[in-house]
Amino acid sequence: MDRFYVTTPIYYVNAEPHIGHAYTTIVADVMNRFQKLMGRKTFFLTGTDEHGDKIVQAAEDAGVDPKSYADRISAMFRQTWPQLNVSNDHFIRTTDPEHMKTVQYILQKVHDSGDIYFSTYKGLYCVGCERFYTEKELVEGKCPDHEKEPVEREEANYFFRMSKYQDWLLEHIQSNEGFIRPERYRNEVLSFLKEPLEDLCISRPKERLSWGIPLPFDDRYVTYVWFDALINYVSAIGYPDGPLFHEFWPVAQHTIAKDILKPHGIYWPTMARAAGFPPFQHLNVHGYWRTEGGKMSKSHGTVVRPLDLAPLYGVDAFRYFLLREMVFGLDANFSEEALVQRLNSDLANDLGNLFSRTTGMTDRYFQGKIPPFGSEPDELDRSLETQMEATLDQWRTEMPRLAFHKTLMAVWECINAANKYVDHAAPWNLAKDPGQLPKLQTVLRTLLEINKVVAVLISPFMPDTSEKMLQRLGIEKGALDLRLEEDGKWGTLKAGMPVHKGEPLFPRIQREEPKGGKPPKGAGKPGSSRDAAPKPAPAEKDESISFDLFKQVDLRAGIVKQAEKVPKSDRLLRLIVDIGEERQVVAGIAQTHSPEELVGRQVIVVANLQRAKIMGVESHGMVLAVKDGDTLKLVTTESPVSPGLKVT
Ligand code: ME8
């Protein structure tokens, strides 16, 4: 198939976007970007669900009318996605006139064919879920989702003859293996279908709820919110006659969490069948993000908001974390510590380090120009290429199967193999011997090639990082314009083209451990001077370092120009130090030194330390001190020297 259509749920406008919404939407974005990379024509839809009791209640609580309320929250969702680099083609609202027309068209069609009838129903109704429950479905007499007792309600309403399609649906699921996936959710729907399916109440009397789409055949009623919402997937692409509908509906994939499996796995395919069009191709169902206390909840203050985190840690790091941490289909726990740990280890240490070593050595040994393969690649050089090819194959097969974490693990195995290759090939030794120039060229070229392919493979997950890496390797292409066939090929970099070293891709994040030991709950509160995620040092017997390695540390004399406390920290000071240039450095010395006494002091600074953010404050360098019991004593010079002089 050369086309691909992916959707997210359309989110209720009764709550602000949180990490669960962000996950589904980023997953859909990753799928969309992957398919584009494979050369397919794609369409990606998201939007908001704006009718029904829930929205009326939320609007009432906010003291505004439902439309103004929906406008406000819908705009929040719409504005969130570009900030997370989500590349949706369309944003649908169920209050869009085109959508409302399509809902009425389908209702009329199904009514005309005899699959909608009028009847009285008496039952137990949960306002939160906006549906009737059977006694059997309740847990200790309460709605399992809202943990509230449903209210008894009797109503004359319209019903969709869903039961008529039970056998067809069963057969369809059984004969289409990936129709609902992963398998656990397919089995869950199959087990719903073991019981006789009831018809679905698809209307609400206007006297009780007027905020909805009027039934075209009885204006005393509005449409039940699920019958309205599910239709967005076809109304957005111009059902019944639009060219997009013909092009994309046969390849539609819906992405949802397990909470809305039943409407998508049962109501929606039977509705489509009754309206006379085939069901979607795949329903992709993922698990739930949980926070420390379990389910995310407003009242417990455990709602994690994506826009608190992404600007703090970087959009790409946030996207990477979500996709790497959750096994698609299973639940996962969210914690900021885990995010920082992934950022520091996988991104700063592994990927960031590989890229800066590669570009740094190209700069140093080849004046920043891509070298040719100077010598025939030997077994070690070729092993990287072979591993990369295997990873590419895995990537091609696992990505469409939603095994994002596995794919990322395979890419990281390549990154780690490349880092080991650097240590093994030791270019710094080759550089000492002019006779080894051809070999040095091959080693660097192999590394540059691997970085390029990695940049292409991570582009669906981390589009900004991918673009940045490629740009520094001389490839000027937006992430959405990359094509695997052209851009993912090994060996196609052009010798002689410039490579730019640039800043580290991912500055390490350091967090403050709050008093009492426990990390802060919720989002956006990074902490202390202590690194939250020290990577365990590899066990080494001989801990001595070479003189060459020591020489790589750029120690300079500096004079403190300004000093002030870092807000909300007992230990940290923000210093401006003159080391020949002005540097901002965060130092953990507030308990032993006041800001006033520091101004004018001579200090020694590690000048070439990677930039890091410490409690949200950028630090570029480190002030040296000696720990003497509980106090810290600053390292200084015997007598005053000019700032910027090197320590030798
Ligand atoms: O159900 N973990 O909207 P909704 C992971 N309007 N994903 C989560 C999550 C969590 N903790 N919480 C929410 C609706 N989600 C209907 C959908 S579609 C025709 C109508 C995500 O705002 C996940 O995608 O309650 C879930 O299915 C969706 O938000 C529910 O969003």
Side-chain angles (χ1 to χ4, degrees):
M1 272 301 167
D2 58 351
R3 285 153 293 133
F4 175 79
Y5 174 33
V6 67
T7 70
T8 71
I10 47 171
Y11 303 112
Y12 282 130
V13 289
N14 65 345
E16 294 174 20
H18 60 60
I19 192 181
H21 305 125
Y23 176 73
T24 319
T25 312
I26 291 171
V27 162
D29 187 56
V30 169
M31 292 167 72
N32 188 52
R33 286 172 180 273
F34 165 76
Q35 296 291 350
K36 270 193 195 301
L37 197 48
M38 298 302 288
R40 300 203 172 101
K41 189 170 173 194
T42 68
F43 196 83
F44 171 12
L45 175 70
T46 187
T48 44
D49 187 357
E50 305 185 7
H51 291 126
D53 283 341
K54 273 190 202 189
I55 313 305
V56 174
Q57 270 182 15
E60 263 171 26
D61 293 347
V64 290
D65 63 287
K67 181 69 170 80
S68 320
Y69 185 74
D71 285 348
R72 180 159 71 77
I73 309 283
S74 176
M76 285 176 88
F77 276 95
R78 191 194 286 264
Q79 286 156 13
T80 295
W81 304 139
Q83 296 182 64
L84 297 178
N85 250 334
V86 167
S87 58
N88 55 302
D89 295 288
H90 186 56
F91 186 98
I92 190 168
R93 301 180 57 181
T94 52
T95 48
D96 290 341
E98 281 309 308
H99 168 77
M100 294 174 57
K101 250 171 46 197
T102 310
V103 172
Q104 290 187 324
Y105 175 87
I106 290 180
L107 280 165
Q108 190 65 58
K109 200 168 174 201
V110 179
H111 185 256
D112 291 349
S113 70
D115 280 344
I116 289 178
Y117 62 91
F118 194 61
S119 170
T120 301
Y121 186 85
K122 187 172 169 192
L124 297 165
Y125 187 84
C126 170
V127 179
C129 301
E130 301 186 27
R131 74 170 180 97
F132 285 97
Y133 271 89
T134 59
E135 295 274 2
K136 238 165 79 190
E137 287 175 304
L138 301 175
V139 178
E140 292 171 5
K142 292 180 180 165
C143 157
D145 266 357
H146 295 90
E147 293 168 12
K148 279 193 186 150
E149 279 181 22
V151 289
E152 203 160 283
R153 213 168 244 188
E154 182 179 310
E155 250 173 32
N157 264 310
Y158 285 89
F159 289 82
F160 164 49
R161 236 179 264 286
M162 196 157 71
S163 54
K164 179 174 154 188
Y165 297 98
Q166 175 158 9
D167 292 342
W168 165 80
L169 181 59
L170 193 61
E171 209 280 317
H172 189 84
I173 297 175
Q174 276 163 345
S175 51
N176 291 276
E177 210 183 305
F179 183 61
I180 299 172
R181 57 188 187 179
E183 207 181 347
R184 57 195 297 131
Y185 298 111
R186 175 180 190 252
N187 292 340
E188 207 171 298
V189 173
L190 286 173
S191 89
F192 289 145
L193 290 172
K194 282 198 184 122
E195 302 290 323
L197 210 52
E198 288 187 5
D199 290 343
L200 182 69
C201 176
I202 52 114
S203 64
R204 297 291 181 265
K206 263 192 186 160
E207 74 238 20
R208 180 154 74 74
L209 174 76
S210 61
W211 181 237
I213 302 175
L215 294 185
F217 40 82
D218 189 340
D219 67 3
R220 295 170 305 156
Y221 287 88
V222 295
T223 313
Y224 169 49
V225 67
W226 272 107
F227 203 94
D228 159 359
L230 289 161
I231 288 173
N232 92 88
Y233 300 133
V234 293
S235 69
I237 50 169
Y239 170 85
D241 302 319
L244 286 179
F245 178 72
H246 292 293
E247 202 174 0
F248 288 108
W249 183 246
V251 291
Q253 303 205 8
H254 303 313
T255 311
I256 60 166
K258 60 185 184 180
D259 57 334
I260 49 177
L261 177 60
K262 197 168 178 182
H264 282 81
I266 295 184
Y267 305 174
W268 181 222
T270 54
M271 282 165 63
R273 179 82 179 164
F277 58 91
F280 50 82
Q281 190 186 23
H282 296 295
L283 178 63
N284 308 315
V285 190
H286 63 76
Y288 246 43
W289 281 98
R290 308 197 169 274
T291 42
E292 231 181 302
K295 228 177 160 176
M296 260 187 283
S297 103
K298 237 186 190 172
S299 52
H300 293 116
T302 50
V303 174
V304 181
R305 287 186 297 258
L307 293 188
D308 285 343
L309 296 167
L312 198 63
Y313 298 111
V315 173
D316 277 1
F318 177 65
R319 289 172 61 112
Y320 172 80
F321 171 77
L322 293 182
L323 275 283
R324 173 65 184 79
E325 199 72 8
M326 181 177 257
V327 176
F328 192 92
L330 304 181
D331 290 352
N333 287 321
F334 177 84
S335 82
E336 228 172 314
E337 283 65 46
L339 197 166
V340 169
Q341 183 146 354
R342 284 254 170 247
L343 199 167
N344 282 341
S345 63
D346 300 8
L347 300 182
N349 276 9
D350 299 342
L351 175 60
N353 193 24
L354 176 66
F355 191 69
S356 60
R357 290 168 110 183
T358 306
T359 52
M361 288 190 287
T362 308
D363 196 51
R364 203 167 317 133
Y365 304 133
F366 299 108
Q367 296 75 49
K369 301 252 161 51
I370 296 176
F373 286 103
S375 62
E376 189 58 26
D378 65 17
E379 209 177 306
L380 187 63
D381 311 323
R382 266 199 301 271
S383 70
L384 276 190
E385 187 185 344
T386 317
Q387 183 171 355
M388 198 75 233
E389 264 164 22
T391 303
L392 258 169
D393 283 346
Q394 193 179 351
W395 188 83
R396 278 197 195 92
T397 49
E398 299 285 8
M399 288 291 283
R401 291 187 197 146
L402 316 161
F404 308 113
H405 77 291
K406 249 200 209 166
T407 320
L408 286 170
M409 275 162 74
V411 174
W412 253 255
E413 274 166 27
C414 283
I415 293 171
N416 292 333
N419 269 323
K420 281 203 191 108
Y421 169 81
V422 177
D423 299 337
H424 223 84
W428 44 90
N429 287 337
L430 297 173
K432 287 181 201 152
D433 177 358
Q436 293 281 13
L437 177 66
K439 180 70 204 163
L440 180 64
Q441 288 175 325
T442 298
V443 169
L444 259 301
R445 178 60 185 266
T446 302
L447 285 168
L448 287 160
E449 292 292 342
I450 203 156
N451 274 283
K452 182 197 73 178
V453 184
V454 164
V456 173
L457 296 193
I458 62 169
S459 70
F461 301 92
M462 297 193 282
D464 283 348
T465 305
S466 166
E467 275 178 25
K468 213 187 275 178
M469 288 173 73
L470 290 172
Q471 205 176 35
R472 294 197 199 159
L473 297 174
I475 300 167
E476 292 283 346
K477 252 192 177 178
L480 284 168
D481 299 323
L482 293 172
R483 296 292 170 264
L484 188 72
E485 284 313 308
E486 281 162 50
D487 304 301
K489 273 211 181 95
W490 185 273
T492 54
L493 285 170
K494 296 215 167 34
M497 294 297 283
V499 163
H500 303 284
K501 200 168 142 233
E503 297 285 304
L505 292 174
F506 300 96
R508 286 178 70 82
I509 300 280
Q510 308 200 345
R511 292 168 54 87
E512 176 148 314
E513 183 142 321
K515 282 187 222 115
K518 272 235 148 189
K521 257 196 203 167
K525 298 179 201 122
S528 104
S529 52
R530 191 183 67 84
D531 195 331
K535 204 173 161 114
E540 273 179 67
K541 286 189 193 88
D542 178 3
E543 290 186 345
S544 57
I545 59 164
S546 67
F547 183 61
D548 271 355
L549 184 57
F550 168 70
K551 269 200 341 200
Q552 287 176 26
V553 184
D554 185 7
L555 294 171
R556 287 176 190 267
I559 292 179
V560 179
K561 294 284 175 195
Q562 290 173 36
E564 64 177 32
K565 291 199 130 207
V566 170
K568 295 190 199 139
S569 170
D570 294 340
R571 289 178 21 85
L572 300 179
L573 295 180
R574 185 181 76 89
L575 309 178
I576 302 291
V577 188
D578 180 0
I579 54 162
E581 61 184 272
E582 289 209 336
R583 280 292 181 82
Q584 175 165 295
V585 175
V586 175
I589 53 175
Q591 282 167 342
T592 46
H593 296 75
S594 68
E596 303 74 48
E597 76 182 75
L598 284 168
V599 176
R601 286 280 290 271
Q602 183 105 55
V603 288
I604 301 296
V605 174
V606 181
N608 62 342
L609 198 65
Q610 282 189 350
R611 286 171 199 268
K613 273 210 168 143
I614 306 177
M615 282 202 77
V617 182
E618 179 156 308
S619 180
H620 190 190
M622 185 170 105
V623 169
L624 294 187
V626 178
K627 196 160 197 290
D628 182 8
D630 285 341
T631 64
L632 282 168
K633 294 187 177 149
L634 289 173
V635 175
T636 186
T637 52
E638 194 180 4
S639 55
V641 297
S642 303
L645 288 181
K646 268 181 93 80
V647 176
T648 57

